[in-house]
């Protein structure tokens, strides 16, 4: 993705998000590794000291229980017996010193023979009371971790004390031997952390296209501004048919009261055809779909970044008002065409009348002229007297002339009586105009006589409109689909508006639903469409 020009400017020190994250991760990894190394070193030191304490305690306990030691400490020359034995044990165990001493601290043994016979330096009080204990103490060999315990005779009296220890220097050597392993583990951990951070940074840089946090923030701000400002509905659906983004206009056009983000398109309550179109995620150009209250033009394109499926980008445009205006325009055009045809026919009748007068057939001329005028005036008077709404009256006259041109007789039921209903003229044109157009087309597909019957009357607070034709009618099995977008009994050819067949009855159903009315159709030969609308009730806003 190419970075937009308004985001390409980068201030000094304005590093990319990936680089900042890499530095932060590197710092965290170093701190963690150093902390872990320090903890490991301290634990290793404690473990070495603990091992030394346990080892010396075991040596003291073993010597205190030795019969040789017990008999030697009460013998005439304890040093002669114990010194070679204790030194051998010390060499075998690797301890720094083992000292056997009398209760008065006089040493019987020592690694340094010059110290034999001198007082022992250290604590022996707990040992004289029969307890074995450990401590860290500085003696003749320096600081050491030592264990001290009593040698008890058969009567339970303390006859000597044994002390064994490991110097701190020797412990440090053992600890130093463990340091390379600790440092090696730290280095391996640091290397793994660095490689992981680099890989994550590379992936993040690729996904964020090298943008800095400030640039990403600006992009998000512009993103939200565009979504809220654009006057075209925008819907993003992922490859699992779940809504990932929807702007305000799309929510308004689809009648969504809450945020549908994360929901499946089948859960939005949209018409089946629109739901299927969104679910198929195919390319669509200016497809017309009818919802409960709107006519929407849908464009859909399934983007494939880097060759993978990424759902679909859907745009929605509201053509409700345009379709209503188109219907009114069609009615006006139809009325204008009928007036042109009537003018042409009137000219023919005038020539005929003049010719009859010139031939001296005055009475025949009068009868011919008045008969045609009476027929046209009769229809006009009936419509004007029965229909108080001027838009509906003009529509009926225009459709009657159009039907007459096409060889269909459009009759207005004598019982028709419609005054001011409060229903917008555009909706009446949509309902009545589409019903009459379909009825005329159906009558032409039937056998003579080809007729269309229109009736309308106000019963209490409801307006009932009936349109019946002599065509082949609607089959029983087609009833559930009659008012769906795309259903038609006519050949699939482009309509004048470019929106295709099968839209008229869907628009009728939409307008009726908007006013809270009902729409029914009688199956079988000669279809009868009945519309019932409440009078004086405002329609649902589009």
């Amino acid at each position: 993705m190419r970075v937009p020009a308004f985001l390409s400017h980068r201030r000094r020190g304005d590093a990319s998000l990936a680089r900042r994250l890499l530095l932060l991760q590197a710092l965290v990894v170093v701190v963690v590794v150093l902390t872990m190394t320090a903890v490991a070193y301290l634990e290793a030191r404690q473990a070495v000291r603990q091992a030394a304490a346990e080892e010396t305690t075991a040596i003291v306990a073993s010597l205190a229980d030795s019969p040789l030691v017990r008999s030697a400490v009460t013998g005439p020359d304890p040093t002669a017996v114990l010194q070679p034995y204790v030194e051998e044990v010390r060499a075998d165990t690797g301890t720094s010193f083992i000292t056997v001493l009398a209760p008065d601290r006089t040493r019987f043994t020592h690694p340094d023979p010059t110290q034999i016979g001198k007082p022992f330096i250290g604590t022996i009080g707990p040992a004289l009371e029969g307890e074995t204990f450990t401590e860290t103490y500085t003696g003749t060999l320096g600081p050491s971790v030592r264990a001290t315990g009593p040698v008890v005779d058969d009567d339970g009296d303390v006859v000597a004390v044994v002390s064994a220890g490991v110097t701190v220097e020797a412990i440090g050597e053992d600890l130093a031997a463990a340091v390379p392993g600790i440092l090696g583990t730290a280095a391996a951990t640091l290397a793994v952390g660095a490689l992981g951070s680099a890989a994550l940074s590379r992936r993040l840089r690729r996904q964020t296209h090298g943008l800095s946090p400030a640039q990403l923030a600006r992009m998000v701000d512009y993103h939200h501004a565009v979504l809220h400002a654009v006057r075209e509905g925008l819907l993003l659906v992922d490859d699992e048919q779940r809504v990932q983004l929807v702007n305000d206009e799309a929510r308004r056009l689809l009648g969504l009261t809450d945020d549908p983000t994360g929901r499946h398109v089948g859960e939005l309550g949209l018409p089946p055809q629109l739901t299927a179109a969104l679910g198929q995620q195919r390319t669509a150009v200016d497809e017309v779909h009818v919802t409960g209250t709107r006519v929407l033009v849908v464009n859909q394109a399934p983007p494939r970044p880097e060759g993978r499926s990424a759902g679909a980008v859907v745009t929605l445009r509201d053509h409700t008002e345009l379709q209503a205006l188109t219907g009114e325009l069609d009615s006006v055009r139809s009325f204008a065409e009928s007036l042109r045809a009537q003018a042409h026919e009137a000219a023919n009748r005038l020539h005929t009348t003049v010719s009859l007068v010139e031939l001296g057939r005055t009475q025949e001329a009068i009868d011919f002229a008045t008969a045609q005028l009476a027929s046209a005036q009769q229809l006009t008077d009936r419509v004007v007297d029965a229909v108080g709404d001027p838009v509906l009256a003009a529509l009926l006259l225009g459709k009657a002339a159009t039907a007459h041109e096409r060889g269909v007789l459009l009759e207005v039921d004598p019982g028709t009586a419609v005054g001011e209903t409060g229903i917008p003229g555009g909706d009446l044109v949509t309902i009545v105009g589409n019903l009459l157009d379909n009825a005329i087309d159906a009558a032409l597909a039937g056998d003579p006589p080809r007729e269309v019957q229109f009736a309308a009357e106000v019963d209490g607070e409801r307006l009932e409109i009936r349109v019946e034709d002599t065509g082949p009618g609607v089959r029983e099995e087609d009833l559930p689909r009659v008012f769906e977008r795309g259903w038609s009994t006519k050949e699939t050819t482009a309509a004048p508006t470019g929106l295709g067949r099968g839209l008229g009855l869907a628009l009728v159903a939409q307008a009726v639903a908007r006013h809270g009315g009902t729409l029914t159709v009688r199956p079988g030969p000669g279809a009868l469409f009945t519309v019932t609308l409440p009078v004086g009730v405002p329609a649902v806003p589009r």
Side-chain angles (χ1 to χ4, degrees):
M1 182 187 76
R2 185 177 180 182
V3 179
F6 62 85
L7 293 176
S8 60
H9 177 67
R10 181 174 293 175
R11 297 186 299 271
R12 179 179 300 176
D14 195 11
S16 68
L17 177 63
R19 179 171 297 179
R20 291 190 179 189
L21 185 60
L22 176 61
L23 296 176
L24 179 61
Q25 284 181 320
L27 178 61
V28 171
V29 168
V30 170
V31 172
V32 170
V33 169
L34 291 178
T35 303
M36 291 178 59
T37 302
V39 171
Y41 178 81
L42 294 175
E43 288 184 349
R45 187 178 68 175
Q46 181 64 26
V48 170
R49 286 177 174 269
Q50 183 67 26
E54 292 176 355
E55 183 180 1
T56 56
T57 299
I59 293 172
V60 167
S62 177
L63 291 175
D65 291 338
S66 172
L68 176 63
V69 175
R70 287 182 180 181
S71 62
V73 296
T74 57
D77 191 0
T79 299
V81 177
L82 293 176
Q83 178 69 8
Y85 173 67
V86 169
E87 283 300 301
E88 183 180 355
V89 172
R90 185 182 68 82
D92 292 341
T93 57
T95 54
S96 299
F97 70 88
I98 299 176
T99 301
V100 183
L101 58 141
D104 63 355
R105 291 181 178 270
T106 301
R107 296 189 183 101
F108 294 144
T109 64
H110 195 276
D112 182 4
T114 62
Q115 298 295 327
I116 296 175
K118 293 182 179 181
F120 174 77
I121 300 175
T123 304
I124 64 170
L128 295 177
E129 295 178 359
E131 179 185 349
T132 300
F133 67 97
T134 60
E135 65 175 341
T136 300
Y137 202 87
T138 302
T140 58
L141 300 179
S144 63
V145 175
R146 61 179 66 178
T148 305
V151 178
V152 183
D153 62 10
D154 294 338
D155 296 331
D157 296 328
V158 177
V159 295
V161 175
V162 178
S163 181
V166 179
T167 61
V168 173
E169 182 181 355
I171 292 175
E173 292 176 355
D174 293 339
L175 182 60
V179 168
I182 296 174
L183 294 179
T185 302
T189 304
L190 187 61
V192 172
L195 291 176
S197 298
L200 180 61
S201 175
R202 187 180 301 110
R203 178 177 177 84
L204 184 62
R205 186 183 300 111
R206 185 168 58 251
Q207 292 182 338
T208 59
H209 302 282
L211 295 177
S212 68
Q215 290 174 323
L216 289 173
R218 286 198 300 272
M219 180 174 285
V220 171
D221 291 340
Y222 294 140
H223 165 84
H224 283 290
V226 170
L227 284 182
H228 290 290
V230 69
R231 297 309 300 167
E232 190 171 66
L234 179 62
L235 197 70
L236 299 185
V237 182
D238 63 16
D239 53 358
E240 295 181 355
Q241 302 180 20
R242 294 189 176 276
V243 178
Q244 296 301 319
L245 184 144
V246 59
N247 68 348
D248 297 342
E249 183 67 7
R251 289 176 58 181
R252 184 183 73 85
L253 295 178
L254 297 177
L256 304 176
T257 57
D258 55 352
D259 188 1
T261 303
R263 294 167 58 186
H264 194 276
V265 294
E267 301 173 358
L268 303 182
L270 303 178
Q273 288 186 329
L274 181 55
T275 300
L278 297 179
Q280 292 171 0
Q281 299 185 351
R282 53 179 172 76
T283 301
V285 179
D286 290 343
E287 282 191 0
V288 178
H289 289 270
V290 180
T291 66
T293 58
R294 298 184 183 280
V295 179
L296 302 179
V297 175
V298 178
N299 286 275
Q300 182 172 241
R304 296 187 177 275
E306 301 179 359
R308 57 185 176 83
S309 175
V313 179
V314 183
T315 60
L316 308 170
R317 297 198 307 273
D318 189 3
H319 272 217
T320 307
E321 299 295 340
L322 177 61
Q323 183 59 34
L325 292 175
T326 301
E328 294 183 17
L329 178 61
D330 288 342
S331 298
V332 172
R333 183 186 294 115
S334 175
F335 190 54
E337 289 294 327
S338 65
L339 290 178
R340 180 193 60 77
Q342 289 179 9
H344 187 270
E345 187 177 353
N348 290 334
R349 289 200 302 269
L350 180 60
H351 286 299
T352 302
T353 304
V354 171
S355 298
L356 288 173
V357 172
E358 290 177 348
L359 293 174
R361 297 179 175 271
T362 307
Q363 189 58 44
E364 287 86 341
I366 294 174
D367 293 340
F368 177 76
T370 55
Q372 295 295 331
L373 291 174
S375 176
Q377 189 63 40
Q378 182 180 7
L379 176 61
T380 301
D381 292 341
R382 182 187 303 171
V383 171
V384 172
D385 291 341
V387 180
D389 190 309
V391 174
L392 182 58
L395 176 65
L396 289 174
L397 291 174
K399 293 300 181 183
T402 301
H404 178 71
E405 274 191 44
R406 301 179 63 185
V408 177
L409 176 61
L410 172 58
E411 291 188 347
V412 178
D413 189 276
T416 297
V418 180
E420 291 292 339
T421 61
I423 300 174
D427 289 338
L428 285 177
V429 168
T430 298
I431 295 172
V432 177
N434 281 291
L435 288 179
L436 289 177
D437 286 339
N438 279 280
I440 293 171
D441 290 340
L444 286 172
D447 298 328
R450 299 180 175 91
E451 298 180 358
V452 173
Q453 183 80 23
F454 172 83
E457 57 184 346
V458 177
D459 182 12
E461 298 180 351
R462 305 188 73 82
L463 168 64
E464 183 176 282
I465 300 172
R466 296 185 301 275
V467 177
E468 186 176 6
D469 61 70
T470 58
V474 179
R475 297 179 300 179
E476 186 79 30
E477 58 269 25
D478 289 335
L479 287 180
R481 301 177 51 244
V482 168
F483 303 109
E484 290 183 2
R485 165 74 176 92
W487 183 89
S488 177
T489 59
K490 293 170 278 190
E491 295 181 1
T492 306
T493 57
T497 58
L499 300 178
R501 294 289 190 182
L503 183 62
L505 291 179
L507 292 175
V508 172
Q510 181 192 83
V512 171
R514 191 163 56 246
H515 285 272
T518 60
L519 174 60
T520 60
V521 56
R522 182 189 67 194
L528 172 61
F529 288 84
T530 303
V531 176
T532 304
L533 300 173
V535 176
V537 178
V540 177
R542 292 174 174 173

